[in-house]
Amino acid sequence: MEKLLIRDLTKTFPAGRSSDRITVLDHISFTIRENEFVSLVGASGCGKSTLLSIIAGLQTHDDGDLKVDGSDILGPGADRGVVFQSYTLLPWLTARKNVEFALQATGYPAADIGDLAMTQLKLVGLEGFAERYPAQLSGGMKQRVAIARALSYKPKLLLMDEPFGALDALTRVQMQELLTSVWERERLTVIFVTHDVEEAVFLSDRIFVMASNPGRVKTVYDVPLPRPRTPDTHRLPEFVELQADVLGSIRSEMRDR
């Protein structure tokens, strides 16, 4: 089933003090299926994060259609959960209270939110840290709380903008494996922005390579790797070949600028 439809999406920004405008996204069209994991990759400035922000309803667009389950995206909504590179946790609330805060904001009954919050923290392996404040958690733990919070109100789409970019290499790998296990259990539809091509290949069903000036979808790669994915997946010949193909597409775009 089609979960997200984007058709002829265009986004412009003012060009300094003049009346001219710069086109940052140019007539982008694609669909994303239910339960699909899609990564957006490309050189800096190609509009990946801008596109994700528009899907989240945090930015407007100039032209085109965006629909989730056939309904127009008109602003932020509980049908879309968002996880950013910065953890965006409320520092004065514990891990559990951060998740409960999201549930309260989306209208869940007060009698249910405590159990729901703990269920989500257990999903990401943090039930033993529910009463810790963000300052008492590592970077990876903070991002687990952010993921638990985004999943707590059962969004139709999970939107992730470089969520592991600030983590050290080992923690990043651990978070990738956690995300794949959560995705396989919860059967989410995920759009994931990353600069890390290896990460995109490991996580995704499809990879969209974006070109820039203006931003557009240049190439779409299917990822025909078996699931569940494990550390051994990285060593498969088809993994290495696909990673090289995607990197080559990005590099050719950068040469053509």
Side-chain angles (χ1 to χ4, degrees):
M1 292 178 59
E2 180 182 279
K3 177 61 64 173
L4 174 70
L5 166 69
I6 296 181
R7 184 167 52 216
D8 289 328
L9 176 72
T10 299
K11 172 69 175 177
T12 65
F13 286 131
R17 296 181 179 179
S18 72
S19 59
D20 296 336
R21 299 184 71 83
I22 299 170
T23 300
V24 292
L25 297 173
D26 186 29
H27 292 91
I28 289 178
S29 297
F30 60 80
T31 59
I32 293 178
R33 299 180 291 272
E34 189 166 9
N35 302 331
E36 189 174 24
F37 198 120
V38 170
S39 287
L40 306 179
V41 301
S44 296
C46 67
K48 303 183 297 295
S49 293
T50 299
L51 176 57
L52 199 78
S53 183
I54 292 171
I55 297 170
L58 302 175
Q59 289 192 47
T60 59
H61 58 287
D62 295 77
D63 199 9
D65 297 318
L66 292 95
K67 297 179 184 290
V68 175
D69 285 341
S71 299
D72 291 326
I73 294 175
L74 302 175
D79 57 347
R80 283 149 288 144
V82 187
V83 179
F84 298 102
Q85 180 174 335
S86 57
Y87 311 119
T88 63
L89 301 179
L90 300 175
W92 58 89
L93 296 180
T94 63
R96 177 175 58 83
K97 289 294 185 181
N98 263 280
V99 179
E100 289 182 2
F101 182 84
L103 290 165
Q104 290 169 344
T106 48
Y108 274 78
D112 298 336
I113 61 174
D115 288 342
L116 287 170
M118 288 303 299
T119 297
Q120 294 306 312
L121 289 173
K122 185 176 182 179
L123 181 68
V124 298
L126 285 182
E127 65 270 31
F129 297 85
E131 303 310 318
R132 299 280 184 91
Y133 289 89
Q136 299 171 310
L137 301 174
S138 68
M141 288 177 174
K142 291 175 187 176
Q143 202 59 296
R144 290 189 193 195
V145 177
I147 292 171
R149 183 179 59 186
L151 295 177
S152 64
Y153 45 88
K154 304 298 182 184
K156 297 177 181 178
L157 280 175
L158 180 61
L159 309 174
M160 309 187 80
D161 191 0
E162 291 278 356
F164 310 144
L167 303 177
D168 64 82
L170 179 59
T171 304
R172 185 169 187 146
V173 169
Q174 292 171 340
M175 291 299 297
Q176 291 166 4
E177 293 172 358
L178 170 72
L179 180 58
T180 58
S181 67
V182 169
W183 176 83
E184 287 161 1
R185 278 182 283 174
E186 298 294 299
R187 302 307 297 168
L188 302 164
T189 303
V190 180
I191 306 176
F192 189 94
V193 169
T194 181
H195 283 94
D196 187 329
V197 172
E198 183 177 11
E199 179 172 72
V201 174
F202 181 75
L203 293 172
S204 306
D205 296 311
R206 286 191 294 163
I207 299 171
F208 293 8
V209 177
M210 292 187 64
S212 55
N213 299 321
R216 61 202 183 279
V217 176
K218 175 186 177 183
T219 312
V220 179
Y221 292 91
D222 291 317
V223 183
L225 298 170
R227 293 189 184 274
R229 309 260 168 92
T230 70
D232 291 336
T233 301
H234 293 265
R235 293 189 286 272
L236 294 173
E238 53 266 44
F239 185 104
V240 176
E241 181 179 356
L242 180 56
Q243 182 181 354
D245 287 346
V246 175
L247 278 170
S249 180
I250 296 171
R251 287 169 178 161
S252 68
E253 163 62 23
M254 294 175 69
R255 288 194 300 268
D256 294 341
R257 284 186 177 185

mmCIF file of all heavy atoms in Angstrom, residues 93 117 161-162 198 201 248:
data_model
loop_
_atom_site.group_PDB
_atom_site.id
_atom_site.type_symbol
_atom_site.label_atom_id
_atom_site.label_comp_id
_atom_site.label_asym_id
_atom_site.label_seq_id
_atom_site.Cartn_x
_atom_site.Cartn_y
_atom_site.Cartn_z
ATOM 1 N N LEU A 93 13.173 16.759 32.706
ATOM 2 C CA LEU A 93 12.315 15.586 32.825
ATOM 3 C C LEU A 93 13.148 14.311 32.709
ATOM 4 O O LEU A 93 14.131 14.261 31.964
ATOM 5 C CB LEU A 93 11.248 15.579 31.725
ATOM 6 C CG LEU A 93 10.222 16.719 31.727
ATOM 7 C CD1 LEU A 93 9.246 16.543 30.580
ATOM 8 C CD2 LEU A 93 9.470 16.775 33.055
ATOM 9 N N ALA A 117 4.577 4.609 28.249
ATOM 10 C CA ALA A 117 5.944 5.128 28.247
ATOM 11 C C ALA A 117 6.939 4.027 28.600
ATOM 12 O O ALA A 117 8.001 3.899 27.957
ATOM 13 C CB ALA A 117 6.067 6.295 29.222
ATOM 14 N N ASP A 161 16.329 12.510 10.856
ATOM 15 C CA ASP A 161 17.288 13.392 10.191
ATOM 16 C C ASP A 161 18.659 13.250 10.847
ATOM 17 O O ASP A 161 18.902 13.813 11.912
ATOM 18 C CB ASP A 161 16.800 14.838 10.268
ATOM 19 C CG ASP A 161 17.599 15.769 9.376
ATOM 20 O OD1 ASP A 161 18.536 15.296 8.704
ATOM 21 O OD2 ASP A 161 17.291 16.975 9.340
ATOM 22 N N GLU A 162 19.546 12.469 10.221
ATOM 23 C CA GLU A 162 20.893 12.225 10.753
ATOM 24 C C GLU A 162 20.856 11.852 12.240
ATOM 25 O O GLU A 162 21.609 12.411 13.060
ATOM 26 C CB GLU A 162 21.773 13.466 10.556
ATOM 27 C CG GLU A 162 22.125 13.764 9.109
ATOM 28 C CD GLU A 162 23.299 12.945 8.605
ATOM 29 O OE1 GLU A 162 23.901 12.196 9.390
ATOM 30 O OE2 GLU A 162 23.609 13.034 7.422
ATOM 31 N N GLU A 198 27.173 3.623 3.863
ATOM 32 C CA GLU A 198 27.172 2.285 4.454
ATOM 33 C C GLU A 198 25.964 2.114 5.376
ATOM 34 O O GLU A 198 25.307 1.067 5.382
ATOM 35 C CB GLU A 198 28.467 2.046 5.222
ATOM 36 C CG GLU A 198 28.578 0.641 5.798
ATOM 37 C CD GLU A 198 29.909 0.394 6.491
ATOM 38 O OE1 GLU A 198 30.659 1.360 6.701
ATOM 39 O OE2 GLU A 198 30.183 -0.770 6.832
ATOM 40 N N VAL A 201 22.782 1.665 3.224
ATOM 41 C CA VAL A 201 22.670 0.327 2.635
ATOM 42 C C VAL A 201 22.255 -0.684 3.698
ATOM 43 O O VAL A 201 21.395 -1.548 3.463
ATOM 44 C CB VAL A 201 23.997 -0.091 1.974
ATOM 45 C CG1 VAL A 201 23.927 -1.541 1.482
ATOM 46 C CG2 VAL A 201 24.321 0.838 0.796
ATOM 47 N N GLY A 248 29.428 6.121 -5.940
ATOM 48 C CA GLY A 248 29.772 6.602 -7.265
ATOM 49 C C GLY A 248 28.754 7.585 -7.802
ATOM 50 O O GLY A 248 29.115 8.591 -8.442
#
